[in-house]
């Protein structure tokens, strides 16, 4: 049984509960610019990282008018090709998602779209848009589909009965369109990396999906997170002790754009995992967000530093 997080931890952005200096991560240039298209989702997962559901609209739908200024600014801050990621919620619930994807793709950026490939994607209007994007942009657009486990029983424990079969049908359809595909699974069940890969390898072969699970970006297995469970606070000494290079952490190379319900403008956050904490807001422009990030949250420790997790390529 895991210990409960101490109420003294992760309180002071500069010092740990023991009074030691808290580690920070300096920005090292954009690898990925994320947009959260809205937290509404067609399903409620048992352990959703950001509590998406059919009723959670704490982050509202981004519009094309919200996205364009950040793409314009990105071209000034870091000219050239930068991965643009879209997450939710379920992005295909956003009524403007096809237009938003087109905006990023037309500028030459590789685009990574996170989706559960369920009913929102399979609506005829959306399918038509997806087909057009695949035809026009090909491998410039990657669909990373959430398939928590290679077995229906474990996947459906997390996402609800019938979810595995529905997602597999969506993956079948994307494969038939010639889409570039990847899978996002989880390590919730204590399965070894080798066993997970073997299970997904067999599933991919049986369904004839164009996915090489041996490639790190084609099968991503995310560590589980629970902010209530005790984890160590990270100090500068941890980099050497753990053998971790802070430039490899998500907040060294990513930022995420969100729009809160009732807000007049989107704001910038350091990563995809902390959408609601106001203390992590970094302003309304990319230029204002390029400072260092103090690792003052349990997710920083468990998912990124200790778990080696990253939502980006």
């Amino acid at each position: 049984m895991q210990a409960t997080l101490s109420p003294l931890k992760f309180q002071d952005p500069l010092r740990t509960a023991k009074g030691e200096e808290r580690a920070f991560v300096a920005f090292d240039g954009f690898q990925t610019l994320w947009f959260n298209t809205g937290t509404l989702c067609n399903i409620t997962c048992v352990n959703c990282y950001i509590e998406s559901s059919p009723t959670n609209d704490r982050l509202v739908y981004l519009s094309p008018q919200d996205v364009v200024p950040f793409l314009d600014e990105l071209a000034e801050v870091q000219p050239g090709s930068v991965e643009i990621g879209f997450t939710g919620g379920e992005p295909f619930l956003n009524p403007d998602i096809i237009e938003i994807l087109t905006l990023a793709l037309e500028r030459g950026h590789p685009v990574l779209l996170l989706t559960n490939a369920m009913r929102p994607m399979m609506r005829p209007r959306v399918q038509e848009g997806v087909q057009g994007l695949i035809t026009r942009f090909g491998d410039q657009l990657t669909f990373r589909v959430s398939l928590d486990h290679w077995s229906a029983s474990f996947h459906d424990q997390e996402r609800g009965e019938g979810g595995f079969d529905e997602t597999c049908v969506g993956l079948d359809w994307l494969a038939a369109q010639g889409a570039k595909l990847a899978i996002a699974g989880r390590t919730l069940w204590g399965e070894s990396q080798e066993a997970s890969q073997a299970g997904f390898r067999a599933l991919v072969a049986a369904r004839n999906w164009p996915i090489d699970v041996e490639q790190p970006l084609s099968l991503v297995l995310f560590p589980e997170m629970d902010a209530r469970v005790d984890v160590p606070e990270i100090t500068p000494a941890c980099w050497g002790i753990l053998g971790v290079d802070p430039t490899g952490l998500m907040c060294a190379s990513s930022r995420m754009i969100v729009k809160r319900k009732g807000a007049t403008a989107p704001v910038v956050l350091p990563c995809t995992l902390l959408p609601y904490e106001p203390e992590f807001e970094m302003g309304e422009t990319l230029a204002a967000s390029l400072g260092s990030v103090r690792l003052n949250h349990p997710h920083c420790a468990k998912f990124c530093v200790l778990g080696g997790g990253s939502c980006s390529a």
Side-chain angles (χ1 to χ4, degrees):
M1 184 175 181
Q2 291 179 302
T4 302
L5 180 69
S6 166
L8 301 178
K9 288 184 175 181
F10 302 103
Q11 299 302 308
D12 185 334
L14 301 179
R15 316 297 297 184
T16 70
K18 294 181 179 179
E20 299 172 298
E21 179 188 358
R22 186 175 304 285
F24 68 89
V25 174
F27 188 71
D28 194 45
F30 278 104
Q31 176 177 298
T32 306
L33 176 61
W34 287 95
F35 292 90
N36 188 300
T37 62
T39 41
L40 286 172
C41 188
N42 55 300
I43 58 175
T44 302
C45 296
V46 174
N47 189 26
C48 177
Y49 293 157
I50 62 169
E51 302 169 359
S52 298
S53 76
T55 58
N56 181 4
D57 60 352
R58 293 170 67 185
L59 302 183
V60 298
Y61 291 145
L62 288 179
S63 69
Q65 293 72 33
D66 293 322
V67 171
V68 166
F70 290 102
L71 294 178
D72 288 344
E73 189 183 9
L74 180 63
E76 298 175 2
V77 171
Q78 187 172 313
S81 178
V82 173
E83 181 184 63
I84 308 296
F86 294 95
T87 184
E90 169 49 51
F92 283 119
L93 283 176
N94 185 311
D96 296 317
I97 188 59
I98 300 300
E99 182 180 353
I100 290 171
L101 292 170
T102 302
L103 288 170
L105 290 161
E106 284 182 336
R107 293 174 183 240
H109 298 296
V111 169
L112 176 64
L113 175 69
L114 278 54
T115 176
N116 58 35
M118 296 174 78
R119 226 161 290 178
M121 187 189 74
M122 299 297 278
R123 292 172 291 168
R125 179 186 66 83
V126 178
Q127 284 185 313
E128 182 181 355
V130 170
Q131 288 171 322
L133 292 175
I134 294 170
T135 298
R136 185 177 175 189
F137 297 103
D139 285 356
Q140 189 182 338
L141 171 61
T142 300
F143 298 81
R144 182 189 285 169
V145 178
S146 298
L147 197 64
D148 290 335
H149 195 262
W150 48 266
S151 71
S153 59
F154 282 155
H155 176 90
D156 288 359
Q157 281 180 15
E158 181 71 19
R159 295 179 179 257
E161 186 176 355
F164 180 86
D165 290 339
E166 188 174 338
T167 292
C168 285
V169 169
L171 271 161
D172 289 342
W173 182 80
L174 285 169
Q177 311 314 308
K180 183 179 180 181
L181 298 176
I183 289 175
R186 296 204 188 193
T187 57
L188 176 63
W189 299 277
E191 195 171 60
S192 70
Q193 178 93 5
E194 293 74 18
S196 293
Q197 282 186 320
F200 277 110
R201 188 184 307 113
L203 174 64
V204 164
R207 307 287 301 210
N208 199 31
W209 295 332
I211 302 172
D212 182 358
V213 302
E214 309 301 331
Q215 296 299 316
L217 301 183
S218 295
L219 174 63
V220 183
L221 299 175
F222 289 119
E224 285 307 294
M225 298 185 299
D226 186 340
R228 301 165 299 178
V229 173
D230 195 35
V231 290
E233 295 182 282
I234 306 301
T235 70
C238 293
W239 304 133
I241 295 170
L242 298 172
V244 172
D245 181 357
T247 63
L249 300 189
M250 193 161 32
C251 54
S253 59
S254 298
R255 293 293 183 261
M256 183 171 76
I257 313 304
V258 306
K259 190 172 185 179
R260 305 194 189 286
K261 187 176 183 178
T264 58
V267 294
V268 186
L269 302 174
C271 75
T272 61
L273 304 175
L274 304 170
Y276 306 125
E277 287 79 355
E279 63 269 27
F280 283 95
E281 289 187 11
M282 306 185 79
E284 296 182 358
T285 66
L286 296 183
S289 76
L290 305 184
S292 299
V293 177
R294 291 283 175 176
L295 303 184
N296 191 31
H297 194 280
H299 292 348
C300 303
K302 185 167 185 181
F303 186 89
C304 295
V305 177
L306 300 175
S310 174
C311 294
S312 306

